[in-house]
Amino acid sequence: MNAPFVLAALPPERLAALHQVERKLLWLSAWMIHNANHIRPNRDGLKVGGHQASCASVISIMTALYFEILRPEDRVAVKPHAGPVFHAINHLFGRQTPEKMAGLRQMGGAQSYPSRTKDGAEVDFSTGSVGLGVALTSFAALMQDYVRLHGLDTGLPLGRQVAIAGDAELDEGNIYEALLEGWKHDVRNVWWIIDYNRQSLDSVVTDRLFGRIEGLFQDMGWNVVTLKYGRKLQAVFAREGGEALRRWIDDCPNSLYSALTFQGGAAWRGAILAELGREPGLRAIIDPLTDDELAELMTNLGGHDVDYLIESFRAADAAGDQPTCFIAYTVKGMGLPFAGHKDNHSGLMTPDQMERFRAAMRIRPGHEWDVAEGLDLDEAGFRQVIADAPFAEPLTPAGRRLDAPLIAIPDILPGPATVGRKVSTQAGFGEILAEIGRGEGACTEMASRIVTTSPDVTVSTNLGPWVNRRGVFDRHTRNDVFRDAKLASAQRWGMSPTGQHIELGIAEQNLFLLLAAAGLQTGLTGARLLPIGTVYDPFVNRGLDALIYACYQDARFLLVSTPSGITLAPEGGQHQSINTPLIGMAADRLASYEPAYADELAILLRHAFVHMQEPAGSAVWLRLSTRQLDQPRRTLDPAAVIAGAHWVVPPEPGAAIALAYQGPVAPEAEAAFAVLRDEVPGAGLLAVTSPDRLHAGWLAASRARREGRPAPSHIEALLAPLARDAALVTILDGHPAAHSWLGAVRGQRVVPLGPDRFGQSGDLPDLYREYGLDTETILDACAQALLP
Ligand SMILES: Cc1ncc(C[n+]2csc(CCOP(=O)(O)OP(=O)(O)O)c2C)c(N)n1
Ligand SMILES: [Mg+2]
C-alpha cells in the first residue's frame, strides 16, 4: 500500500505574505478601475466601466494560484471581468507597466478583458464571451496531449490548463457540450475553478443550483472539490452550537446571505439570534465578536481563504491528472463597500468610498501603483515574496509565448488530374487531402503537421480518405471492430495516439473551440500544426461565436464548410446556407474564399497552408460545394485567385458590361455570358473567388490613399478596363449583398443576383429558377443592367 500523501503546511510567514499579496491585488484592481472612471479625463461622457466587485470576489483564488500553485508551463483562461486582477498580478511579476494599468480600457492601455493580441504574451487565452474561455481550456488540454503523443513538443514541461470561471458562465450551453466531448476524449490536466459568488450580472442565482452542477461534473468524470467554508468558520462549526450555525448558513437562501453580507455585522447578529438564539453554545460564539468580526466570520467562505485554497489545490494536484472542478464559495465585492449587494456587478465605488478605502489600505496620493505601498512588508521583502512564487520563473528566456519554425509547403499540392472530369470542390478537397495524406516527397512534413477535425460530418465532407490514411486520434489505442471482423467498410477508423483526425460529436461550438486550441499550439506548446476543420456551411452559424472567438485570439486554422448554398438542392432549406459569404466578409482574421473549379481550389488550399503560418496571416475559410462541374483546361494566375477574382474572359477596353460569378453557379453564368457576348461584344466574365479579400483589399487601398499612399486594389485594377458607366451583373449562391458593393468601386450600376430567402427542397433547375440563379434570370438581369 502506498503511504498517504502528506501535504506540507504553508509556513505562517508565507501565509502572512500572501495576505499582503491579496491586499495589494484588491487595491490595484479597484484603483485601476477607479482611475479609469473617476480620475482620467473623460472626453466623450461615456461610462468607462469595469467590475470592481467581480475582481474582489476572485482575489484570494488568484493569489493562491499565481503566487503558490501555478507553474510557468501552466496555461490560464481568466474570467473576463477579473482582467484588472490579472493585470495587477502581471505588474507584481514585472510583466505589466503602471502606464498600461493607468490606461485600462483606454486605447493602447490594458484591455478590459484579457486579450492575447492586445495585452501580449502573458495572456494564454483571450476571454470575454462568457463560457468560451472556460471550455477552451478543455480543448487546449486535448491538443497538448495530441502534441505530446505525436512527439511534436519542444521538450519544455507541459502544463495544466486552468480556467478561472464566473459561476454564471456555467449557464452557457457550450460548457456542457465541452464537458461531454472532454469526457469522450478522456481529457486530463484541466482545472476549472469556479468563483461561486452566486451572482451573475442581473441578480443572485437560483438556490440549489450547485447541487445539480456538482452532479453534472461528477457524471462527466470530473473530480469535484467544493470549498464552501473557510478555516475560521470550520473552527466555529466544531464548537458547541457550531453545527446549528452551519445548518443555518447552509439553508440560508443565496439572496438573504447576500443581503446580510451587504448590511454587515449588526444585521448578521439580528438574523442569527432571531433564529438560533436559544441554541446551546451559540451565544458563546457570537457574543464576544464585534460587528466587524462577526461580519468577517460570516463571510469566511472557502474561496476567500488563501490557505485553504492552496491546500485544496495541492491535494488535487497530488491526486493526479483527473479533470477537477473547484467550487469556491465567495462573496461578490468582498472587502469593498458593496460586498454582497445584488446590483454590484457593474457597481463602482464613489470617490468618497474610494478615499475611505484608500485610507484603510494606507495608500498615499501619488503612490497608487507602487508595488509595496501600504503593506506590512518593505519593498525588498515584498519583492522576495513575489519572486518565491513558482510562476515568477519565466517559461523560456524569450517569454511565455512560444514560436516554431515554418512548415514547408510544396509549390504545388498533389492531387489527381481534374481536367476532363466532373468534379465538385468538395470532392477535389478530399482528393488533394488524401494525396497529401500519403506523406510522400515534399508533403512529408506537411502531412505530419495536419490535424483534421469534424463534428460528425467527417465522411460527408470528404475527409474519409485522409482519415483512412492517417487514422483517428485517441489517447488509447482502440481497434476498428468492423475492420478486425473483415466487414466491408470504406472507412477504416482505428484509433490510436498517433492518429491525426479528431472526431467530434455534433456540436459546432466544440469544433471551433478545438480549432482555436489547435490553432494556438505554436504559441502554447511550440508545436506548429496545420489544423483543418470541416462542417456543413449552414452550421457555421451554430458555432459562430466560437468561430469569432477563435479568430479574435488569432488562432490559425483552415475551415472548410461544405456543402453550401441552395445548390445542396434536395436536402432542403434547413441545410441550405444563405448568409455565410457575408459572415466571411465581416469576420476579422479570417480570409474567406469560394472557388468554383478544382484548379482554383488547389491554389487556395495551398495558399491556406502558407497564410495560416504567416505572422501577418490569418485563419482561412473555404466555402465548397457538392455540385460537380466539368473542369476547364486553363492556366490561372495564382496571385489573382488569392486576391479574390480573375477574368475568365477579360473585357475589351470601354466594355459596357461584365458578368461576375462566384462558386458553383459558374455554368449558368458561362451559358448566359455566351449569349451576352454575342449581343454586347467586349463584355467580360469575372470569376470571383473571394468577395472578402476583394473588399478587404479595396478598403485597404482606400485607407492608403487617405494617407497619401496611392495603391490601387485588385478589384479596382480588374474593373479599370470597363467603361466608366459600365454595368455589373453579379451572381453567387449566397446573399447578393456579398457582391452588390462592387458597384461602389467605380460608381457603376450593379444588378446583384443570389438567394435572399430561405431555400427549400428541389432540383437545381427548379431552385435556380425560383431563386434567380438560372441562365435566363442572369440574361434578364443583364438586359436590365444595360437599360439606359
Ligand atoms: C456570451 C456573453 N453574454 C453576456 C455577457 C455579459 N456578461 C458579462 S458578465 C456577465 C455575468 C457574469 O457573471 P459571473 O460569471 O458569475 O461573473 P462574476 O459574478 O464573477 O462577475 C454577463 C451576463 C458576456 N460577457 N458574454
Ligand atoms: Mg458570479
Side-chain angles (χ1 to χ4, degrees):
M1 225 175 85
N2 289 336
F5 188 90
V6 179
L7 294 167
L10 205 58
E13 58 284 8
R14 181 72 185 159
L15 181 58
L18 292 178
H19 288 321
Q20 298 291 295
V21 174
E22 290 177 289
R23 187 181 168 91
K24 180 79 336 195
L25 294 180
L26 181 64
W27 163 258
L28 281 175
S29 56
W31 177 254
M32 221 180 289
I33 296 166
H34 184 80
N35 177 70
N37 284 274
H38 292 292
I39 309 239
R40 224 165 52 202
N42 181 326
R43 294 187 301 182
D44 52 18
L46 287 179
K47 177 183 170 180
V48 178
H51 303 85
Q52 289 170 330
S54 305
C55 289
S57 171
V58 81
I59 296 285
S60 305
I61 294 172
M62 289 180 73
T63 301
L65 277 176
Y66 278 92
F67 294 88
E68 204 60 39
I69 299 295
L70 291 180
R71 297 151 302 175
E73 62 271 23
D74 294 333
R75 299 290 182 177
V76 190
V78 177
K79 75 168 185 172
H81 301 79
V85 186
F86 175 74
H87 297 312
I89 287 171
N90 284 321
H91 174 50
L92 298 191
F93 283 124
R95 298 163 185 164
Q96 178 62 286
T97 63
E99 291 71 32
K100 291 245 183 207
M101 291 192 297
L104 175 76
R105 296 185 165 229
Q106 193 178 38
M107 188 103 122
Q111 296 297 300
S112 45
Y113 312 125
S115 162
R116 279 178 65 87
T117 55
K118 301 185 192 75
D119 288 317
E122 297 311 314
V123 180
D124 298 322
F125 306 109
S126 304
T127 53
S129 178
V130 297
L132 295 179
V134 183
L136 180 56
T137 56
S138 177
F139 292 101
L142 173 62
M143 286 316 301
Q144 180 172 267
D145 269 337
Y146 179 98
V147 162
R148 185 179 58 84
L149 290 165
H150 286 77
L152 302 174
D153 58 296
T154 56
L156 283 170
L158 298 176
R160 180 174 289 121
Q161 314 295 313
V162 179
I164 301 165
D167 49 350
E169 297 201 65
L170 298 185
D171 283 333
E172 289 286 359
N174 81 278
I175 292 281
Y176 302 94
E177 296 177 358
L179 277 177
L180 194 57
E181 198 63 55
W183 174 82
K184 289 187 220 164
H185 289 279
D186 193 17
V187 295
R188 43 191 212 106
N189 285 325
V190 192
W191 278 7
W192 289 359
I193 301 151
I194 296 159
D195 173 2
Y196 187 38
N197 57 29
R198 288 148 292 145
Q199 283 184 247
S200 56
L201 190 158
D202 283 335
S203 60
V204 178
V205 303
T206 319
D207 294 307
R208 299 182 299 112
L209 185 63
F210 252 71
R212 296 274 147 214
I213 288 178
E214 208 175 297
L216 266 161
F217 274 93
Q218 280 160 346
D219 283 350
M220 298 293 174
W222 284 56
N223 175 27
V224 179
V225 179
T226 302
L227 294 91
K228 189 158 187 184
Y229 296 115
R231 292 204 196 286
K232 283 188 194 139
L233 271 175
Q234 289 174 27
V236 163
F237 294 156
R239 292 169 53 184
E240 189 190 10
E243 194 45 44
L245 184 63
R246 177 210 283 274
R247 248 182 286 117
W248 184 81
I249 306 179
D250 277 345
D251 294 342
C252 183
N254 285 342
S255 47
L256 177 60
Y257 184 88
S258 297
L260 291 172
T261 301
F262 177 68
Q263 290 167 288
W268 279 115
R269 194 180 306 277
I272 295 168
L273 292 182
E275 297 212 21
L276 301 180
R278 290 168 193 280
E279 197 66 43
L282 199 277
R283 295 205 71 120
I285 296 172
I286 304 289
D287 288 352
L289 302 177
T290 64
D291 282 354
D292 283 352
E293 286 167 345
L294 180 58
E296 194 188 324
L297 175 69
M298 294 304 290
T299 53
N300 177 240
L301 300 182
H304 295 308
D305 188 328
V306 78
D307 191 20
Y308 183 43
L309 281 160
I310 288 169
E311 187 187 288
S312 307
F313 290 145
R314 289 226 173 110
D317 193 18
D321 59 8
Q322 186 185 4
T324 301
C325 167
F326 300 88
I327 302 172
Y329 277 65
T330 57
V331 170
K332 193 154 169 173
M334 182 68 174
L336 302 182
F338 40 54
H341 197 289
K342 71 180 178 62
D343 302 336
N344 67 12
H345 181 74
S346 306
L348 297 175
M349 275 191 265
T350 63
D352 282 351
Q353 287 174 324
M354 179 47 88
E355 281 314 303
R356 283 196 289 279
F357 184 57
R358 171 204 286 282
M361 291 278 136
R362 304 198 304 267
I363 307 290
R364 291 165 296 164
H367 295 267
E368 290 85 358
W369 308 113
D370 294 1
V371 165
E373 178 76 1
L375 300 182
D376 298 340
L377 290 163
D378 64 14
E379 181 164 343
F382 189 53
R383 287 202 185 279
Q384 190 56 50
V385 167
I386 297 162
D388 287 343
F391 200 73
E393 194 70 28
L395 179 58
T396 73
R400 205 161 165 70
R401 189 78 47 90
L402 307 180
D403 202 359
L406 297 181
I407 301 160
I409 306 298
D411 290 342
I412 298 177
L413 297 185
T418 50
V419 177
R421 286 199 290 143
K422 259 178 133 49
V423 181
S424 71
T425 45
Q426 174 176 312
F429 163 72
E431 288 177 1
I432 295 174
L433 208 59
E435 275 311 298
I436 294 173
R438 291 184 190 278
E440 292 167 355
C443 290
T444 311
E445 189 197 7
M446 177 173 74
S448 72
R449 297 287 175 149
I450 290 175
V451 51
T452 57
T453 181
S454 185
D456 203 24
V457 290
T458 299
V459 174
S460 48
T461 56
N462 275 38
L463 275 182
W466 155 268
V467 178
N468 285 344
R469 294 220 157 103
R470 310 301 295 199
V472 176
F473 172 72
D474 196 289
R475 286 211 294 120
H476 315 279
T477 300
R478 302 179 206 273
N479 288 352
D480 179 345
V481 175
F482 271 67
R483 191 180 186 189
D484 292 352
K486 300 202 166 38
L487 298 172
S489 165
Q491 315 304 334
R492 296 185 294 278
W493 279 22
M495 297 182 181
S496 79
T498 57
Q500 285 180 248
H501 173 75
I502 302 178
E503 182 69 10
L504 296 174
I506 320 173
E508 285 73 15
Q509 298 216 67
N510 282 342
L511 168 75
F512 292 118
L513 289 174
L514 178 57
L515 287 174
L520 293 176
Q521 285 305 304
T522 307
L524 294 176
T525 58
R528 192 183 289 278
L529 299 175
L530 298 170
I532 303 177
T534 65
V535 65
Y536 288 1
D537 193 58
F539 305 132
V540 167
N541 288 290
R542 178 69 84 98
L544 188 53
D545 196 31
L547 169 60
I548 302 291
Y549 175 68
C551 295
Y552 178 74
Q553 50 195 318
D554 204 20
R556 302 299 183 83
F557 54 87
L558 169 62
L559 168 64
V560 177
S561 67
T562 177
S564 60
I566 63 168
T567 300
L568 182 58
E571 199 74 11
Q574 264 284 279
H575 280 63
Q576 296 168 352
S577 57
I578 301 170
N579 66 347
T580 43
L582 295 177
I583 294 172
M585 290 181 75
D588 190 17
R589 296 183 193 269
L590 182 62
S592 307
Y593 292 96
E594 180 169 11
Y597 292 103
D599 52 0
E600 294 165 331
L601 170 76
I603 290 168
L604 293 174
L605 194 51
R606 179 185 183 278
H607 172 65
F609 289 130
V610 173
H611 192 64
M612 62 175 144
Q613 299 190 61
E614 285 169 337
S618 73
V620 180
W621 178 2
L622 299 181
R623 185 179 193 246
L624 304 184
S625 170
T626 40
R627 186 180 187 193
Q628 298 178 335
L629 303 184
D630 286 317
Q631 300 295 313
R633 181 184 301 279
R634 57 183 178 174
T635 308
L636 292 174
D637 170 13
V641 174
I642 291 165
H646 57 96
W647 285 112
V648 181
V649 180
E652 285 173 14
I657 188 167
L659 183 54
Y661 73 85
Q662 173 178 331
V665 292
E668 285 66 30
E670 288 157 3
F673 183 75
V675 178
L676 177 68
R677 184 79 172 188
D678 280 346
E679 289 175 15
V680 189
L685 178 62
L686 187 69
V688 174
T689 50
S690 174
D692 168 47
R693 293 298 83 203
L694 285 181
H695 192 263
W698 179 52
L699 289 192
S702 173
R703 260 193 306 271
R705 264 195 290 274
R706 286 199 297 279
E707 290 159 11
R709 292 179 285 114
S713 65
H714 185 57
I715 188 62
E716 287 165 306
L718 285 171
L719 298 183
L722 297 171
R724 193 84 226 170
D725 61 351
L728 302 171
V729 171
T730 66
I731 173 167
L732 80 159
D733 184 2
H735 198 281
H739 286 169
S740 49
W741 63 274
L742 285 168
V745 175
R746 293 181 74 225
Q748 290 163 328
R749 243 169 323 136
V750 172
V751 181
L753 299 177
D756 60 349
R757 294 170 289 137
F758 289 121
Q760 56 187 298
S761 294
D763 64 4
L764 283 188
D766 276 347
L767 290 181
Y768 279 11
R769 174 83 205 130
E770 175 68 20
Y771 291 88
L773 297 176
D774 60 326
T775 302
E776 207 175 312
T777 305
I778 299 171
L779 285 171
D780 287 348
C782 291
Q784 182 190 0
L786 287 167
L787 285 175

